[in-house]
Amino acid sequence: MTQPLILLAALAMPATVAPAQADSTQAAPDPIPQLVARLDLERYKATIKGLTRFGDRRQGTDRNRAAVDWIEAQLRSYGCTDVARLKYNYQPPGQGVRPARDTTRASGGGRFRGVRARTGVNADSLKQPDVRLRALDAQASTAGAREEVYCTKIGDTHPGEMYIVGGHMDGIGWGEAANDDGSGAALVMELARVFSSPDVRTDRSIRFILWNNEESGLNGSRAYVEQRRALQGTKDEPKWLGMIQHDMMLFDHGMPRADGTLATEQRPEADVNIEFQASAKFAAEAEQLAWVFQRANEKYATDYPASVGSHMTNTDSAPFQDYVPAISLRENERGTQIGAGWDPNWHQPTDLYTTYSDKDFRLGLNAAQTTLAALAGLVGAAIK
Ligand SMILES: [Zn+2]
């Protein structure tokens, strides 16, 4: 019933209000709503679906390498043509004895509340009932050379300063890694598409990167930090202004019930969780960055709100957190919520494109709107 009221309010405007004059002192219209409108649910879903054609995209396999090639082709087709690959070598750690982790405390430093359900990584191929997908995911990972792809939107006035926007493209668990992390990878690709449009300019640069080897221990992002941190400020690497990671964007059905089951539908109060790490060297700056994103969500995201937390953990922003303000966006808090079993598809054969409804995909779209809007402000985006 709000629509007629708005119309009445508009009709009641005094007739003396003149239309806006096009004089040079007037601020240009805010370009961010127009940029946000260039994201849409069906395109976002199609990009996730495209990634799931390569199964779980486990690092060190042919299906992972084929997915990297496909992502690069997509980035180029969007006009994000300043493309490169980071190359590194991955050797899995030996089977040494790992110290047992205290599972009464959430990773990242948070505190568990309420009901917890079990979590784990599925390693049993036979738990994948779809024989086509089981075959697609069958090739095992082999150690050795790895590549991950990125493309850069070059800023007009400060090309030597950039924000890094990431999501990991590899997955595990004998499914399609649709949510973890097809949803985050697709978000980064959709942002690369919008910012690479020929009519969009920015003051500062943005690097869109699709990390590999996240699931094996953040090895792709660690390799990037090791190889490129000292190059900042040279012609080979712009100075890093911040790192924004996206990892598992779709599923916020709430806390498990006492019997360990979850609600079948997205909860109406679902939110985007923006996290920084309180123990990081750049914690204060990262916290400020997180609130910039929260405010951008409040102003521009269409459906779901965002909340800020201080326990960012277990994703590719971690290797950056002591060098630059680093945050992550997720469906839930990683430590206290995902770590307590809030996502029953996490690293499971059920992490399939068909598992999710439009209400789930829409949460990811709202995270995309949030990052797009915040970033557009930070880099000084404008439509020519
Ligand atoms: Zn992930």
Side-chain angles (χ1 to χ4, degrees):
M1 290 305 288
T2 52
Q3 210 58 22
L5 288 174
I6 288 167
L7 277 174
L8 283 174
L11 290 169
M13 292 251 293
T16 51
V17 174
Q21 296 296 310
D23 78 61
S24 59
T25 59
Q26 196 158 6
D30 181 1
I32 295 177
Q34 277 177 269
L35 293 170
V36 168
R38 294 179 180 188
L39 293 168
D40 79 76
L41 188 65
E42 292 309 317
R43 285 201 74 131
Y44 178 54
K45 286 166 62 180
T47 306
I48 295 173
K49 190 153 199 218
L51 287 160
T52 63
R53 286 196 295 117
F54 304 94
D56 68 2
R57 309 180 298 283
R58 182 185 285 261
Q59 54 81 27
T61 63
D62 290 340
R63 62 190 181 279
N64 174 277
R65 287 182 280 273
V68 174
D69 290 344
W70 181 78
I71 291 167
E72 176 170 343
Q74 292 296 110
L75 294 172
R76 289 185 187 280
S77 76
Y78 303 151
C80 202
T81 50
D82 186 8
V83 178
R85 292 192 183 200
L86 189 93
K87 299 181 182 176
Y88 58 98
N89 190 287
Y90 174 64
Q91 298 296 327
Q95 299 296 317
V97 183
R98 282 203 296 176
R101 207 176 67 74
D102 175 5
T103 55
T104 63
R105 296 187 49 214
S107 65
R111 182 174 161 196
F112 288 122
R113 311 270 188 171
V115 178
R116 288 173 66 184
R118 73 171 291 281
T119 60
V121 178
N122 173 57
D124 180 359
S125 64
L126 297 177
K127 293 223 169 104
Q128 178 48 259
D130 178 343
V131 291
R132 179 203 61 85
L133 183 54
R134 195 190 301 163
L136 182 59
D137 284 346
Q139 188 190 47
S141 172
T142 48
R146 297 284 186 273
E147 296 188 6
E148 61 196 5
V149 66
Y150 56 90
C151 74
T152 309
K153 165 80 177 179
I154 310 282
D156 284 355
T157 60
H158 296 78
E161 299 176 8
M162 72 174 176
Y163 285 89
I164 302 173
V165 178
H168 71 89
M169 50 70 65
D170 66 310
I172 50 174
W174 291 91
E176 288 177 333
N179 187 26
D180 186 11
D181 188 27
S183 64
L187 185 160
V188 173
M189 293 168 70
E190 286 294 287
L191 263 54
R193 176 177 66 78
V194 172
F195 279 104
S196 301
S197 172
D199 67 344
V200 175
R201 61 157 299 279
T202 60
D203 291 336
R204 290 178 169 75
S205 299
I206 312 168
R207 179 154 293 169
F208 301 97
I209 186 158
L210 288 307
W211 307 113
N212 205 343
N213 275 92
E214 194 271 354
E215 298 291 4
S216 52
L218 320 183
N219 308 95
S221 52
R222 288 188 205 286
Y224 186 95
V225 171
E226 278 166 26
Q227 290 184 31
R228 309 205 65 87
R229 181 168 69 88
L231 299 176
Q232 287 181 79
T234 70
K235 64 174 175 39
D236 296 319
E237 183 76 2
K239 177 181 158 50
W240 305 345
L241 299 175
M243 197 283 166
I244 302 124
Q245 171 74 355
H246 304 83
D247 195 351
M248 303 172 69
M249 314 310 300
L250 303 183
F251 193 93
D252 185 1
H253 294 209
M255 183 181 285
R257 304 179 185 112
D259 66 359
T261 61
L262 269 290
T264 52
E265 287 229 331
Q266 190 79 292
R267 58 176 179 156
E269 63 272 38
D271 59 357
V272 177
N273 289 86
I274 304 164
E275 296 183 273
F276 66 96
Q277 175 46 255
S279 68
K281 280 205 181 119
F282 279 76
E285 296 86 348
E287 180 174 1
Q288 279 184 29
L289 185 64
W291 284 109
V292 168
F293 277 62
Q294 192 275 345
R295 283 192 293 273
N297 168 280
E298 199 151 88
K299 193 161 179 192
Y300 299 105
T302 50
D303 308 281
Y304 293 108
S307 38
V308 172
S310 59
H311 303 302
M312 181 184 80
T313 186
N314 289 75
T315 196
D316 293 307
S317 40
F320 289 85
Q321 69 184 26
D322 289 334
Y323 304 116
V324 68
I327 60 173
S328 70
L329 278 72
R330 296 202 194 240
E331 62 194 13
N332 285 309
E333 290 190 1
R334 166 61 181 80
T336 61
Q337 299 178 342
I338 297 173
W342 286 36
D343 188 332
N345 307 304
W346 182 37
H347 298 157
Q348 297 302 311
T350 52
D351 190 0
L352 310 172
Y353 179 81
T354 52
T355 295
Y356 305 102
S357 75
D358 277 4
K359 288 178 185 169
D360 299 316
F361 289 117
R362 198 171 290 285
L363 182 64
L365 182 74
N366 275 253
Q369 294 169 337
T370 301
T371 295
L372 175 64
L375 204 53
L378 291 167
V379 301
I383 299 173
K384 289 179 209 164

